[in-house]
């Protein structure tokens, strides 16, 4: 009996260890699906979310190993990186992030990188005239700013609030975008002498102000093909800078990408200029650059962050706008809940359509071969349908 008990104990212990190892392997596999590892002999590029990842893959070709931090199917506004992301980025040559307040965790993340890292951080929205917008405070976009320089992530003085990234489980501390006094680290206006009132804002209607509303920089630069072209060129230039040996390849592949973006821009310009209506109602305020560049006006249920909560009065006001502007469709997104969009549509007696801010792919879109261009073409189709 004693021998059998010992055997049972040993069998149970072995099974426990096996279970733990299996769990670790499963978790490791899950992690690798949403990211990747450093590859020797190539330019290793870490990107923060999908559009930058896609453009970098196209321009980098076989010369670049591109690792995207944001997992498939995850909305980027409130996501924060893991400790493994810090390890990979420390070993990479390039770290490409959108900026303009999208990734509020970036200053702390950069501060947490290995002290011997050679990685070059690049804010790919540099050079785009940014839009100032009203948005609910504290929803993960980082503090808005509109004064002088666009990239302050390396400045001394950004350390105190953000040096949490070496601690295990430090993900929660990485997002400091809500703290008062965080403005200095997130000063993202590029144009020297940029006008404070940002001409063109009349095309991106701001939601009704509440007592918590504050001015933020609209980070959704990539949603306009015109801005996406600026971003693509910044990505190409950064690759050439860290890997001049393969400059010709980067230039050639950039020209191919540029051709597609220019065609997309022309299609949007041509089709939307014909539309008799110019007002769209969207679930969150992600289409300011698209509206500015193609002569539309957005009316948003929520502010810059898709998880902001509108007031009942906001819904009432939007219902009135829908009727006054003869809006036939309320647009919703696939990575966030469509509940409010459908509620408003029911209140106003209209239908819903998808307008995708292309912040990421769903798992179905990824497996189905969708990309920035196919999603933007669908956006154009749905816009022309709604604006008839």
């Amino acid at each position: 009996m004693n021998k059998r008990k010992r055997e049972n104990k040993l069998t149970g212990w072995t099974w426990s260890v096996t279970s733990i190892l299996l769990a670790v392997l499963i978790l490791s596999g899950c992690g690798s699906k949403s990211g990747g590892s450093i590859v020797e002999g190539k330019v290793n590029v870490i990107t923060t979310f999908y559009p930058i990842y896609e453009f970098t893959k196209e321009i980098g070709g076989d010369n670049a190993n591109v690792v995207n931090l944001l997992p498939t199917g995850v909305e980027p506004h409130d996501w924060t990186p893991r400790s493994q992301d810090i390890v990979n980025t420390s070993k990479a040559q390039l770290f490409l992030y959108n900026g303009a307040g999208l990734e509020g965790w970036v200053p702390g993340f950069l501060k947490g990188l290995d002290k011997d890292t050679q990685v070059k951080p690049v804010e790919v929205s540099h050079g785009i005239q940014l839009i100032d917008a009203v948005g609910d405070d504290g929803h993960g976009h980082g503090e808005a700013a509109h004064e002088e320089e666009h990239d302050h992530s390396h400045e001394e003085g950004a350390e105190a609030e953000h040096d949490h990234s070496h601690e295990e489980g430090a993900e929660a501390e990485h997002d400091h975008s809500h703290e008062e006094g965080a403005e200095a680290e997130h000063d993202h206006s590029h144009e020297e002498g940029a006008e404070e009132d940002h001409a063109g804002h009349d095309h991106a209607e701001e939601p009704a102000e509440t007592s918590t509303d504050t001015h933020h920089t609209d980070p959704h630069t990539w949603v306009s093909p015109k801005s996406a072209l600026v971003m693509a060129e910044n990505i190409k230039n950064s690759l050439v800078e860290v890997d001049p040996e393969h400059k010709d390849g980067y230039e050639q592949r950039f020209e191919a990408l540029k051709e597609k973006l220019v065609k997309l821009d022309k299609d949007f310009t041509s089709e939307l200029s014909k539309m008799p209506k110019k007002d769209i109602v969207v679930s969150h305020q992600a289409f300011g650059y698209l509206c500015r560049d193609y002569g539309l006006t957005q009316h948003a249920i929520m502010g810059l962050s898709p998880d902001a909560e509108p007031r009942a009065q906001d819904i009432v006001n939007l219902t009135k706008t829908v009727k006054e502007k003869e809006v036939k469709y309320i647009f919703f997104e696939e990575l966030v809940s469509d509940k409010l969009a459908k509620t408003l549509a029911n209140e106003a007696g209209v239908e819903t359509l998808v307008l995708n801010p292309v912040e990421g792919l769903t798992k179905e879109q990824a497996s189905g071969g969708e990309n920035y261009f196919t999603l933007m073409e669908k956006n154009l189709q749905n816009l022309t349908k709604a604006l008839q």
Side-chain angles (χ1 to χ4, degrees):
M1 289 293 293
N2 289 338
K3 182 178 179 184
R4 179 169 294 182
K5 284 181 180 177
R6 284 197 302 271
E7 287 175 349
N8 287 340
K9 273 188 172 183
L10 183 60
T11 302
W13 179 83
T14 305
W15 173 248
S16 297
V17 171
T18 304
S19 299
I20 291 168
L21 289 173
L22 183 60
V24 169
L25 287 171
I26 290 171
L27 288 172
S28 299
C30 289
S32 66
K33 287 179 182 177
S34 63
S37 56
I38 299 300
V39 174
E40 295 295 328
K42 290 190 176 184
V43 173
N44 288 282
V45 186
I46 308 296
T47 61
T48 56
F49 78 126
Y50 172 70
I52 300 176
Y53 172 77
E54 180 177 331
F55 296 161
T56 306
K57 286 277 289 183
E58 288 209 32
I59 299 168
D62 292 336
N63 301 122
N65 171 52
V66 187
V67 177
N68 195 37
L69 295 184
L70 195 72
T72 301
V74 175
E75 209 279 335
H77 290 83
D78 291 318
W79 178 85
T80 50
R82 310 160 301 171
S83 55
Q84 185 59 46
D85 299 326
I86 296 172
V87 173
N88 281 344
T89 304
S90 295
K91 297 175 182 177
Q93 286 72 53
L94 278 174
F95 172 64
L96 304 181
Y97 65 104
N98 187 73
L102 180 68
E103 308 99 334
W105 48 267
V106 162
F109 183 81
L110 294 177
K111 180 61 183 171
L113 299 179
D114 189 276
K115 63 180 180 179
D116 298 322
T117 184
Q118 299 297 309
V119 70
K120 177 180 174 57
V122 176
E123 190 171 22
V124 301
S125 63
H126 182 79
I128 298 167
Q129 183 181 355
L130 299 181
I131 293 175
D132 229 10
V134 171
D136 243 355
D137 197 7
H139 288 288
H141 275 277
E143 296 303 316
H146 42 277
E147 277 115 44
E148 296 173 8
E149 297 287 331
H150 196 35
D151 187 0
H152 293 284
S153 52
H154 311 302
E155 289 182 1
E156 295 179 32
E159 289 85 11
E161 298 93 317
H162 299 290
D163 194 5
H164 297 287
S165 41
H166 285 308
E167 300 166 8
E168 281 192 34
E171 290 82 355
E173 288 93 338
H174 286 171
D175 190 358
H176 295 284
S177 52
H178 320 320
E179 296 177 4
E180 289 181 23
E183 287 82 0
E185 292 88 337
H186 300 293
D187 190 357
H188 294 290
S189 191
H190 312 297
E191 270 75 36
E192 293 182 19
E195 295 174 12
E196 288 189 3
D197 61 355
H198 289 281
H201 285 193
D202 54 313
H203 293 302
E205 183 168 293
E206 299 168 342
E209 289 199 28
T210 70
S211 59
T212 57
D213 278 346
T214 185
H215 284 276
H216 291 272
T217 300
D218 184 345
H220 303 91
T221 51
W222 63 91
V223 186
S224 166
K226 291 183 189 296
S227 298
L229 185 54
V230 175
M231 297 168 70
E233 186 162 14
N234 287 338
I235 292 168
K236 181 262 296 181
N237 290 341
S238 67
L239 285 165
V240 170
E241 184 175 347
V242 299
D243 185 26
E245 183 180 345
H246 297 107
K247 176 181 178 180
D248 290 346
Y250 296 136
E251 294 279 4
Q252 184 177 358
R253 289 185 291 268
F254 165 71
E255 288 300 324
L257 177 60
K258 178 180 177 180
E259 187 174 321
K260 291 196 291 183
L261 285 169
V262 168
K263 181 184 183 302
L264 190 64
D265 172 41
K266 288 180 178 177
D267 290 345
F268 268 78
T269 300
S270 172
E271 293 301 316
L272 295 179
S273 65
K274 302 173 188 174
M275 295 298 104
K277 296 178 182 176
K278 302 297 179 184
D279 293 270
I280 60 173
V281 177
V282 298
S283 57
H284 100 275
Q285 199 176 353
F287 303 94
Y289 294 91
L290 185 145
C291 287
R292 179 183 70 183
D293 291 343
Y294 303 104
L296 306 180
T297 298
Q298 70 174 336
H299 307 268
I301 301 173
M302 294 163 284
L304 290 173
S305 174
D307 61 359
E309 291 292 336
R311 302 169 304 175
Q313 187 60 41
D314 296 332
I315 299 295
V316 171
N317 291 340
L318 272 174
T319 302
K320 184 179 178 182
T321 299
V322 167
K323 292 175 179 177
E324 287 178 351
K325 303 290 186 180
E326 299 182 339
V327 171
K328 300 301 182 188
Y329 295 92
I330 308 297
F331 288 112
F332 68 95
E333 303 166 25
E334 292 158 301
L335 288 180
V336 296
S337 171
D338 61 357
K339 184 178 177 182
L340 282 171
K342 289 188 173 179
T343 298
L344 178 58
N346 289 335
E347 287 285 333
V350 298
E351 298 181 59
T352 57
L353 274 176
V354 170
L355 191 61
N356 197 324
V358 203
E359 295 175 340
L361 301 178
T362 64
K363 291 178 181 179
E364 292 75 20
Q365 288 167 343
S367 61
E370 299 276 15
N371 58 42
Y372 176 88
F373 292 94
T374 63
L375 295 179
M376 287 297 289
E377 285 162 2
K378 288 179 181 178
N379 280 346
L380 181 55
Q381 291 170 9
N382 285 348
L383 282 168
T384 55
K385 180 178 181 178
L387 294 170
Q388 295 286 348

